[in-house]
Amino acid sequence: MWRNRKENMTSKGQISGDGPEHRSKLNLAAKPFTLPLRRINAAAPSSSRGDSNGNGNGSKIQEIAYIGPTHLPVNARVWNSISSYSLEDIARTTPPAKPAHSQIINVFPSNGATATASILKSTFQHPASQATQFPFGPILLDNGVIQLRLRDSITVDMTADGSVKVVNGNHNIAIAISSDTLATAMHHPNGIVFQNGPRVDIAAVDARRKYPYIRFAKMWHKGISLTSARYALIYLVDSAGTRTTSDMISMDMEADYVNQVFFNGVVPAAHNYVDQWQIIQNSSYQLGQEGSLQFQVNGFRITQSGDGLVKIHRSNNRCSIRTSPSNGCATVTTNSIHCTASLGTSSHLFVRREERRMHFDGATFIVRNAGHSAGFDELDRLRVY
């Protein structure tokens, strides 16, 4: 009997032989307690001072910096530990401001209603009754530029030094070549091309707005560097193949490259503009078949056919420009670069300099150099061909 009572007492005080049962003092029916999340503003600079030991003698450290043409935010501490480039030279410490519209052309409008309205009313379009407001033939502007207004909202500007600029107002196209033909710029709905000496900077975007990606490329002595606005890495295509690089692509999307090239090296003349008046007096024109018209101005042969196609050719064969008001095509050729662009079913942007090439059809972006090819597909994924 005594043994049975002891066994009963033992069984009441044990659970599976692990000792006496402990009763919890917590309310198991209550809701779990969680800490509220803290909001961290990534764009705000760090307000902490001092070193890791808590000393307050250190200088204020900016934790976020913005690099590249798309102002990509990076952590300053991480960047300084892995990169040889100083953020003071290549980055900005404040968030990028809202970009202003370019004075030359709105190449990359947004999808908003305001931007759409600005596209329909181009800054290059002239009044419908041009014949009653502007004289026939070349005229002299107040800034010393010789201007020739043609049909279908196409204007040709020239300087006494030999720079030329063509504006196609129907499709927001602008092309410029410097007087020494060492610099060229093209603004087109499919992108921007800026060539200065051996370097060519390219930005490409789909004019049909079917693909929202913006791609960048740079042709230079090392090869072709390329990236996309969504990428933090920059790739280099050279004789060794395709690999990542620490080089930077510093193309300003809001810069007025056309006027920079057009006025490059132009020396302001006196107010009498003797040279400009002499060029206008020596100019000539002749009528051709099927409504074509040809001008000879300042060493340029400017021809507009009956359908509106404009061809500009320099007599020494150093450069040529073509643009059409009907299909939005544009071509510029010099000794340094050959570039074509068009709209419609064959919408594209093509750039060639020596053996380096870039082709963009609105969806795919491909560069070729030294027998190697790489680019981005219609989903903006990197492809090595």
Side-chain angles (χ1 to χ4, degrees):
M1 180 182 298
W2 181 83
R3 181 181 300 176
N4 294 336
R5 183 181 301 176
K6 185 176 180 181
E7 291 177 355
N8 293 337
M9 293 176 60
T10 305
S11 61
K12 291 181 180 180
Q14 293 182 355
I15 298 178
S16 303
D18 294 335
E21 179 182 4
H22 297 281
R23 293 185 179 181
S24 175
K25 297 182 180 181
L26 300 177
N27 185 4
L28 300 179
K31 295 182 179 180
F33 176 76
T34 58
L35 290 175
L37 296 177
R38 295 180 59 188
R39 291 183 174 270
I40 300 176
N41 188 2
S46 173
S47 59
S48 61
R49 292 179 178 269
D51 53 16
S52 59
N53 296 327
N55 298 328
N57 298 329
S59 59
K60 188 174 182 179
I61 300 176
Q62 188 78 23
E63 291 187 354
I64 301 298
Y66 301 86
I67 63 173
T70 58
H71 305 295
L72 180 71
V74 297
N75 188 293
R77 299 177 185 271
V78 176
W79 179 273
N80 291 331
S81 63
I82 64 175
S83 177
S84 60
Y85 287 88
S86 175
L87 285 175
E88 297 178 355
D89 300 331
I90 65 173
R92 54 189 301 175
T93 57
T94 58
K98 184 178 180 181
H101 291 287
S102 174
Q103 297 178 358
I104 272 282
I105 187 170
N106 190 8
V107 180
F108 303 110
S110 61
N111 295 326
T114 305
T116 305
S118 64
I119 299 173
L120 298 178
K121 186 178 180 181
S122 170
T123 56
F124 298 124
Q125 291 180 355
H126 309 301
S129 58
Q130 295 185 30
T132 59
Q133 297 190 18
F134 303 106
F136 178 80
I139 60 175
L140 182 61
L141 303 182
D142 295 337
N143 57 356
V145 174
I146 302 170
Q147 186 175 89
L148 179 64
R149 296 179 180 267
L150 303 175
R151 302 191 313 269
D152 302 313
S153 301
I154 295 181
T155 61
V156 181
D157 293 349
M158 293 164 284
T159 64
D161 298 328
S163 299
V164 61
K165 178 177 69 173
V166 182
V167 174
N168 185 342
N170 287 350
H171 296 285
N172 284 348
I173 299 173
I175 306 171
I177 302 177
S178 63
S179 57
D180 54 7
T181 68
L182 296 180
T184 305
M186 174 190 288
H187 282 205
H188 191 272
N190 274 331
I192 301 175
V193 178
F194 173 55
Q195 176 258 326
N196 186 15
R199 173 170 170 169
V200 183
D201 290 292
I202 305 168
V205 65
D206 183 19
R208 298 166 297 184
R209 302 298 183 267
K210 184 178 180 181
Y211 301 94
Y213 315 117
I214 301 178
R215 285 76 176 263
F216 300 91
K218 178 179 68 174
M219 298 180 181
W220 55 320
H221 66 279
K222 288 187 177 181
I224 303 179
S225 300
L226 71 154
T227 187
S228 178
R230 302 191 311 120
Y231 280 66
L233 297 177
I234 298 177
Y235 304 92
L236 175 66
V237 180
D238 57 5
S239 58
T242 303
R243 61 182 185 273
T244 58
T245 179
S246 59
D247 300 320
M248 304 299 296
I249 298 179
S250 57
M251 189 169 191
D252 188 357
M253 302 293 291
E254 297 299 325
D256 191 352
Y257 293 108
V258 171
N259 274 336
Q260 289 182 21
V261 171
F262 180 64
F263 290 106
N264 181 35
V266 175
V267 179
H271 292 289
N272 52 10
Y273 298 127
V274 177
D275 296 337
Q276 286 83 347
W277 282 116
Q278 189 68 30
I279 292 173
I280 293 177
Q281 292 176 1
N282 294 335
S283 62
S284 61
Y285 77 95
Q286 62 181 5
L287 298 176
Q289 298 179 353
E290 299 180 356
S292 63
L293 186 62
Q294 178 175 309
F295 290 89
Q296 296 284 349
V297 184
N298 197 23
F300 289 96
R301 185 174 71 249
I302 305 170
T303 305
Q304 186 173 32
S305 60
D307 59 356
L309 177 64
V310 174
K311 301 178 182 179
I312 301 176
H313 184 75
R314 185 173 285 181
S315 57
N316 55 10
N317 297 323
R318 296 183 62 184
C319 66
S320 64
I321 299 175
R322 294 163 55 102
T323 184
S324 173
S326 58
N327 56 10
C329 72
T331 303
V332 56
T333 303
T334 66
N335 294 335
S336 303
I337 189 176
H338 174 70
C339 178
T340 65
S342 66
L343 300 174
T345 56
S346 60
S347 178
H348 78 282
L349 177 65
F350 173 78
V351 180
R352 183 185 74 232
R353 172 171 170 77
E354 297 176 349
E355 63 174 352
R356 301 174 179 89
R357 289 171 171 81
M358 186 284 304
H359 184 267
F360 172 70
D361 61 0
T364 58
F365 181 89
I366 302 175
V367 299
R368 296 179 177 89
N369 179 42
H372 300 277
S373 300
F376 302 100
D377 60 9
E378 64 276 2
L379 298 179
D380 208 28
R381 297 173 298 189
L382 178 68
R383 297 291 186 182
V384 179
Y385 303 95

